[in-house]
């Protein structure tokens, strides 16, 4: 049975799609057969970040409406073994997603896959609710600023009341905090919340801290998940997070601002 | 520059309260008629609020449309209802306003307005269209076992402990709201809104581990965070009502 992981946040633009692509790819790199599902119907971003936008023929809504089979719609990733993408539709609205339709697709995938990563749209409306409804685990993507933390708190409340697990009174969805776009220097001068501040407010286990990094934008422009960039801190931090998701104990890195030494200043090393 | 068409202002108006104790159409009509005959200058064309707070029977809402019809027939102008949550739906169906409950300390002024001899007639005064709510509300609060919440109460969530105390073993987020008819205990940071004694129990209290609340209220008397961002902030405290004033005391 596949484990269903929703990547969610409430607030928009905090790094959900970046994270879905990275974590999905990371799980596949670790040998687990993984599918990443784009629930952001109408916007469709995941395929761009994964660099497979030209290979999209059928999408999520086509499968729900029975216009295509799941097999036809799933796109096999070219770089990474064991990795598949189900793109969102660009022409429909979020109403096209139904509990029955989504449930059927997840059931069908569950037999074949180890992990299903659901990239949630922003907000707390239909699309976001659909993405989290069937989740076993949730990666709550949060930026170190007050409004993002507040929205994450809301989403955690919704996971507790509106997920299928909550409705059926089963064991609650396992929650993970992923703090992204973290900039220790700005934390030091009080422009951003610290890891401790955010942990204190949300009170859920910390899966990882992804530093603010130019490599992320570069990677998504190239259609390559940043986790494949082993040189970038953000890529390494995502790899660590995947290891923790798989139950390994890994120290947190990149939490402190490094004082730039003479050498790195001269060489321009980031 | 365009001239402002209007301005919104807060105001307090003294309004006649019709406190319903029980309702049968015939008895109500009879007693209301008596009342109006006795004090026509006070009652005719008066706006009134109908309070269901003290309604004796615990069952469904009385026939509110019929009730409203009778009031209008006798020249009263009902503008809304004051009632506990369970009547919300029935009230909404009438299109009338729902007023928040207060612990009701009005009435004194109205009593003076009533014709002489009215006060002596205590029995009828109580049973019908009188305002007399001068006595603080001390009704029979039957308490059920406490409601216990082990998880954080998150932003956007609301937890209400009806007829009982509320115990939260975690924190209350900013943007969350907890309410209880009885006392509230929070064994974590209280960062949201906490309202104890919401049905009017002036003896209800709030206890918390760390006071960081947006709002505190006991029996409708409230304080905002700006009122207590001093010595007691982030400290363990209890909150209780002394007279009409909320007091925050370190634990
Ligand atoms: N660690 C990071 N460092 C720098 N930029 C980042 C980082 N993570 C994400 N970004 C940038 O933030 C922007 C938003 O990212 P992304 O699309 O993943 O967010 P999202 O939460 O999926 O947004 P939406 O709510 O619109 O779906 C992108 O431009 C991305 O490159
Ligand atoms: Mg996105």
């Amino acid at each position: 049975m596949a484990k269903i992981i929703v990547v969610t946040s409430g607030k928009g633009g905090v790094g959900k799609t970046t994270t879905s692509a990275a974590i999905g790819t990371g799980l596949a790199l670790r040998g687990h057969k993984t599918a990443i599902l784009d629930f952001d119907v109408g916007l469709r971003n995941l395929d761009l970040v994964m660099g497979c936008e030209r290979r999209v023929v059928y999408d999520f809504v086509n499968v729900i409406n029975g216009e295509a089979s799941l097999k036809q719609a799933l796109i096999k990733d070219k770089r990474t073994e064991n990795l598949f993408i189900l793109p969102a539709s660009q022409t429909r609205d979020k109403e096209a997603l139904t509990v029955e339709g989504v449930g059927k697709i997840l059931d069908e995938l569950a037999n074949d896959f180890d992990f299903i990563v659901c990239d949630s749209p922003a907000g707390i409306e239909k699309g976001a609710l659909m993405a989290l409804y069937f989740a076993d685990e949730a990666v709550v993507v949060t930026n170190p600023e007050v409004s993002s933390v507040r929205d994450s708190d809301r989403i955690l409340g919704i996971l507790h009341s509106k997920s299928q697990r909550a409705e059926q009174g089963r064991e609650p969805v396992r929650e993970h905090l992923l703090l992204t776009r973290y900039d220790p220097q700005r934390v030091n001068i009080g422009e951003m919340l610290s890891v401790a501040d955010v942990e204190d407010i949300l009170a859920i286990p910390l899966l990882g801290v992804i530093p603010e990094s130019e490599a992320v934008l570069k990677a998504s422009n190239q259609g390559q998940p940043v986790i494949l960039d082993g040189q970038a801190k953000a890529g390494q931090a995502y790899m660590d997070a995947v290891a923790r998701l798989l139950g390994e104990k890994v120290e947190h890195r990149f939490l402190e601002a490094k004082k730039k030494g003479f050498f790195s200043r001269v060489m321009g090393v980031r | 520059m365009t001239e402002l068409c209007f301005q919104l202002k807060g105001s307090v108006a003294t309004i006649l309260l019709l406190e319903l104790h029980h309702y049968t159409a015939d008895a109500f009509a009879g007693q209301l008629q008596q009342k109006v005959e006795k004090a026509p200058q006070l009652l005719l064309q008066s706006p009134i609020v109908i309070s269901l707070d003290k309604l004796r029977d615990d069952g469904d809402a009385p026939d509110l449309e019929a009730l409203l019809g009778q009031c209008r027939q006798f020249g009263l102008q009902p503008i809304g209802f004051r009632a506990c949550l369970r009547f919300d739906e029935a009230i909404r169906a009438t299109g009338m306003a729902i007023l928040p409950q207060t612990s009701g300390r009005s009435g004194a002024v109205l009593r003076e307005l009533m014709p002489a001899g009215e006060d002596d007639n205590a029995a009828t005064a109580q049973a019908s269209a009188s305002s007399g709510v001068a006595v603080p509300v001390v009704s029979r609060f039957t308490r059920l076992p406490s409601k216990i919440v082990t998880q954080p109460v998150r932003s956007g969530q609301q937890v209400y402990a009806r007829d009982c105390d509320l115990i939260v073993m975690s924190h209350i987020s900013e943007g969350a709201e907890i309410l209880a008819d009885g006392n509230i205990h929070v064994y974590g940071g209280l960062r949201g809104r906490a309202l104890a004694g919401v049905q009017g129990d002036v003896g209800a209290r709030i206890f918390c581990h760390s006071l960081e609340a947006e709002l505190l209220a006991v029996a409708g008397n409230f304080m905002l965070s700006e009122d207590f961002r001093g010595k007691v902030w982030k400290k363990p405290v209890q909150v209780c009502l002394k007279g009409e004033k909320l007091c925050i005391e370190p634990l």
Side-chain angles (χ1 to χ4, degrees), chain B residues 102-106 133-134 136 202 216-223 240-247:
Chain B
T102 62
S103 42
R105 262 175 224 86
S106 48
V133 236
V202 292
L216 294 169
V218 174
N221 299 272
F222 67 89
M223 266 181 154
C240 59
L241 203 54
K242 295 211 169 123
E244 291 187 23
K245 201 173 167 310
L246 266 196
C247 292

Side-chain angles (χ1 to χ4, degrees), chain A residues 12-18 20 38 40 43-46 49 119-122:
Chain A
V14 295
K16 291 180 293 295
T17 301
T18 305
S20 302
D38 190 350
D40 206 345
L43 284 175
R44 205 176 112 185
N45 262 322
L46 179 69
V49 175
D119 179 16
S120 172

Side-chain angles (χ1 to χ4, degrees), chain B residues 85-246:
Chain B
L85 286 174
R86 70 187 168 110
F87 294 127
D88 267 12
E89 218 171 298
I91 295 172
R92 242 176 237 128
T94 68
M96 286 278 148
I98 302 178
L99 278 76
Q101 282 184 315
T102 62
S103 42
R105 262 175 224 86
S106 48
V109 185
L110 285 169
R111 213 169 259 282
E112 285 160 25
L113 290 175
M114 291 301 272
E118 189 60 29
D119 269 14
D120 313 334
N121 204 351
T124 40
Q126 281 225 338
S128 55
S130 145
S131 62
V133 236
V135 204
V137 184
V138 188
S139 58
R140 346 116 277 157
F141 294 108
T142 38
R143 284 289 147 75
L144 300 173
S146 302
K147 182 178 184 121
I148 301 180
V149 175
T150 55
Q151 295 289 332
V153 183
R154 305 277 183 185
S155 178
Q157 289 186 311
Q158 190 192 53
V159 175
Y160 174 36
R162 179 187 296 277
D163 295 327
C164 64
D165 289 354
L166 176 63
I167 299 169
V168 181
M169 295 166 64
S170 187
H171 73 261
I172 313 298
S173 294
E174 261 176 64
E177 185 172 78
I178 51 173
L179 310 101
D181 287 348
N183 305 302
I184 290 177
H185 305 251
V186 181
Y187 297 97
L190 171 50
R191 299 164 188 154
R193 301 154 60 98
L195 299 90
V198 294
Q199 300 272 15
D201 183 357
V202 292
R205 296 182 189 200
I206 300 169
F207 304 86
C208 71
H209 207 69
S210 173
L211 177 67
E212 303 158 53
E214 295 168 309
L215 176 145
L216 294 169
V218 174
N221 299 272
F222 67 89
M223 266 181 154
L224 297 172
S225 66
E226 60 203 43
D227 304 325
F228 48 81
R229 265 183 185 270
K231 268 193 298 212
V232 288
W233 192 249
K234 295 203 172 177
K235 296 279 179 338
V237 299
Q238 70 154 327
V239 182
C240 59
L241 203 54
K242 295 211 169 123
E244 291 187 23
K245 201 173 167 310
L246 266 196

Side-chain angles (χ1 to χ4, degrees), chain A residues 2-8 23 27 114-118 131-140 156 159 163 165 171-176 207 241-242 244-247:
Chain A
K3 200 171 256 174
I4 302 173
I5 302 174
V6 62
V7 178
T8 184
I23 287 186
L27 289 167
D114 302 318
F115 287 98
I116 302 169
V117 177
C118 303
L132 66 76
Y133 185 70
F134 294 98
D136 300 308
E137 306 202 9
V139 173
V140 179
L156 286 165
L159 279 163
S163 63
R165 280 176 175 265
E171 202 182 313
V173 177
R174 222 172 120 210
E175 301 151 342
H176 308 273
L207 180 68
V242 168
R244 290 188 201 104
L245 203 54
L246 293 170

Side-chain angles (χ1 to χ4, degrees), chain A residues 175-236:
Chain A
E175 301 151 342
H176 308 273
L177 170 61
L178 189 74
L179 202 52
T180 62
R181 311 200 67 163
Y182 195 72
D183 185 340
Q185 249 158 0
R186 295 185 65 190
V187 172
N188 286 347
I189 56 174
E191 281 182 7
M192 277 186 172
L193 299 175
S194 68
V195 178
D197 291 336
V198 180
E199 280 186 294
D200 184 48
I201 298 172
L202 295 180
I204 59 171
L206 183 67
L207 180 68
V209 178
I210 313 297
E212 171 78 23
S213 155
E214 282 165 27
V216 173
L217 187 61
K218 209 174 88 197
S220 63
N221 282 339
Q222 291 172 350
Q224 272 215 53
V226 70
I227 199 168
L228 294 175
D229 183 349
Q231 300 296 101
K233 285 180 183 177
Q236 296 169 23

Side-chain angles (χ1 to χ4, degrees), chain B residues 6-50:
Chain B
F6 65 87
Q7 203 173 4
L8 288 176
K9 287 188 165 181
S11 80
V12 179
T14 309
I15 284 177
L16 211 55
L17 191 73
L18 189 154
E19 193 175 77
L20 201 65
H21 291 209
H22 62 95
Y23 179 76
T24 48
D26 289 346
F28 181 79
Q31 293 176 20
L32 186 56
Q33 181 167 18
Q34 276 181 15
K35 212 28 95 179
V36 173
E37 279 168 7
K38 255 191 199 159
Q41 73 281 29
L42 178 64
L43 296 178
L44 287 179
Q45 302 309 315
S46 294
I48 58 158
V49 169
I50 302 173

